[in-house]
């Protein structure tokens, strides 16, 4: 009889253990499912938040490009009159007033067909020849008065890291007759990038459509002018996708860090830009999770 009772007791203990293991496994599965779901929600929410910040930056830059484009159109149309010898002093004053009234514009100038600056808001630019500069050669070689040319970032003659936006000046016969150019003020764009920082691990950047980095916020040494247009980089994958917006979590080519990034191509159809700008905003996944 005692042997039968011992067997029954062992059977009950085994059943209790199995029930406990099943219960623990079920609880573990529920916890793992909840954690996975929560992780996916956090990641999804952060991706949308980064994209929202990229859109906000994009809208601010788009408004700046639109106003600068309109100003350049007017200057290109007025170049024949403004650049007459007797009108140059008045033209320089007009450009100074216009540049001061346009936040985000550092320089304004007009050239002749050979690349000599005829009038500018900064006296030190007048008389310089910029025929060798890419932002002059591009509209000279592909002249289209309807196109807004966006130069790759470069070191300006005033020793500032900038990019220019340019319109071709057509002559009476429609041929190339110089350029009207606005040099972008880096301080203005720093303010735009800084305004959307909401976490210490966040990093905002503006990049040229050819892949050259223009600006980062917070500032990091060695990033200005760095090319992101390499095989497999998030920038290249974004551009090859043909989509305006993308989100990736991967190793950033520029820094070698693991980042969650939102990428947005800024190319408003109404501006007819020859090259887009690309906004990249990123965070550390470890900090997010």
């Amino acid at each position: 009889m005692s042997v039968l009772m011992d067997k029954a007791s062992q059977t009950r203990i085994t059943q209790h253990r199995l029930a406990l293991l099943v219960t623990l496994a079920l609880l573990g599965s529920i916890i793992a499912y909840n954690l996975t779901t929560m992780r996916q929600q956090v990641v999804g929410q952060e991706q949308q938040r980064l994209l929202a910040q990229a859109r906000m930056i994009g809208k601010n830059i788009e408004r700046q490009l639109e106003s600068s484009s309109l100003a350049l159109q007017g200057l290109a149309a007025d170049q024949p009159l403004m650049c007459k010898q007797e009108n140059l002093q008045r033209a320089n004053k007009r450009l100074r007033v216009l540049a001061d009234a346009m936040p985000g514009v550092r320089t304004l100038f007009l050239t002749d067909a050979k690349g000599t600056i005829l009038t500018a808001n900064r006296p030190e630019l007048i008389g310089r020849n910029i025929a060798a500069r890419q932002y002059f050669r591009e509209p000279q070689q592909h002249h289209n008065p309807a196109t807004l040319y966006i130069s790759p970032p470069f070191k300006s003659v005033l020793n500032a890291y900038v990019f220019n936006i340019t319109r071709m000046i057509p002559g009476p016969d429609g041929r190339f007759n110089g350029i009207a150019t606005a040099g972008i003020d880096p301080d203005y764009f720093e303010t735009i990038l800084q305004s959307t920082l909401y976490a210490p691990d966040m990093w905002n950047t503006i990049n040229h459509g050819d892949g050259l980095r223009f600006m980062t916020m917070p500032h990091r040494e060695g990033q200005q002018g760095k090319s992101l247009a390499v095989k497999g980089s998030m920038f290249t994958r974004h551009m090859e996708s043909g989509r305006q917006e993308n989100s990736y979590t991967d190793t950033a080519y520029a820094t070698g860090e693991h980042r969650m990034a939102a990428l947005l191509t800024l190319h408003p159809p109404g501006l007819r830009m020859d090259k887009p700008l690309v906004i990249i905003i990123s965070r550390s996944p470890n900090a997010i999770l």
Side-chain angles (χ1 to χ4, degrees):
M1 178 70 75
S2 63
V3 173
L4 290 174
M5 290 179 65
D6 287 344
K7 287 184 177 180
S9 177
Q10 289 176 358
T11 300
R12 285 195 299 273
I13 291 171
T14 301
Q15 289 173 340
H16 289 161
R17 286 176 176 172
L18 286 172
L20 179 61
L21 288 173
V22 170
T23 301
L24 289 174
L26 181 60
L27 285 173
S29 298
I30 292 171
I31 291 171
Y33 173 79
N34 285 338
L35 287 175
T36 301
T37 302
M38 289 172 63
R39 180 188 176 94
Q40 291 173 343
Q41 288 176 344
V42 169
V43 168
Q45 289 170 356
E46 192 59 30
Q47 286 174 335
Q48 289 304 311
R49 192 175 184 186
L50 291 175
L51 279 172
Q53 301 306 310
R55 292 177 192 131
M56 187 182 303
I57 291 172
K59 283 294 182 187
N60 276 293
I61 295 176
E62 183 178 341
R63 283 194 289 268
Q64 171 62 35
L65 292 175
E66 286 173 346
S67 62
S68 300
S69 177
L70 288 171
L72 292 177
Q73 277 183 317
L75 293 175
D78 293 346
Q79 187 254 23
L81 182 62
M82 290 176 64
C83 293
K84 286 184 176 181
Q85 189 62 40
E86 64 270 22
N87 293 333
L88 286 177
Q89 188 174 354
R90 192 181 306 166
N92 294 336
K93 183 178 180 181
R94 175 182 171 183
L95 293 185
R96 284 196 298 271
V97 171
L98 188 56
D100 290 344
M102 295 173 63
V105 171
R106 185 184 182 90
T107 57
L108 276 174
F109 61 83
L110 305 175
T111 77
D112 62 17
K114 294 181 180 180
T116 299
I117 297 177
L118 302 175
T119 178
N121 69 313
R122 294 174 179 266
E124 62 270 33
L125 294 178
I126 298 171
R128 289 179 180 265
N129 187 279
I130 52 144
R133 290 284 193 172
Q134 188 275 347
Y135 61 82
F136 180 84
R137 297 199 313 269
E138 192 68 25
Q140 182 189 41
Q141 294 168 4
H142 307 97
H143 47 278
N144 185 341
T147 298
L148 184 67
Y149 295 92
I150 309 295
S151 80
F154 64 98
K155 260 295 182 58
S156 74
V157 295
L158 299 177
N159 204 34
Y161 205 77
V162 300
F163 73 90
N164 284 351
I165 60 175
T166 298
R167 283 198 173 274
M168 166 206 164
I169 299 172
D173 56 359
R175 294 184 181 181
F176 178 80
N177 196 36
I179 61 172
T181 293
I184 296 303
D185 185 356
D187 293 341
Y188 178 81
F189 283 83
E190 280 186 6
T191 302
I192 292 177
L193 290 185
Q194 193 157 16
S195 68
T196 59
L197 294 174
Y198 58 80
D201 61 292
M202 195 171 174
W203 197 36
N204 297 347
T205 71
I206 301 174
N207 311 272
H208 188 266
D210 286 343
L212 291 181
R213 177 150 282 167
F214 167 56
M215 178 175 289
T216 69
M217 183 54 63
H219 177 73
R220 296 181 72 166
E221 288 295 332
Q223 289 297 314
Q224 287 183 323
K226 190 178 186 71
S227 177
L228 308 180
V230 298
K231 185 177 180 180
S233 69
M234 287 190 276
F235 175 87
T236 299
R237 286 155 56 192
H238 169 68
M239 298 303 286
E240 289 177 346
S241 76
R243 293 164 53 93
Q244 184 183 15
E245 298 176 351
N246 274 303
S247 295
Y248 301 112
T249 301
D250 205 344
T251 301
Y253 165 76
T255 62
E257 299 168 348
H258 193 59
R259 306 290 288 179
M260 175 190 290
L263 298 90
L264 179 143
T265 297
L266 183 63
H267 201 179
L271 285 177
R272 299 187 65 175
M273 295 158 54
D274 71 322
K275 297 291 176 64
L277 296 174
V278 179
I279 315 300
I280 304 178
I281 298 184
S282 67
R283 288 196 63 193
S284 165
N286 291 335
I288 295 167
L289 296 171

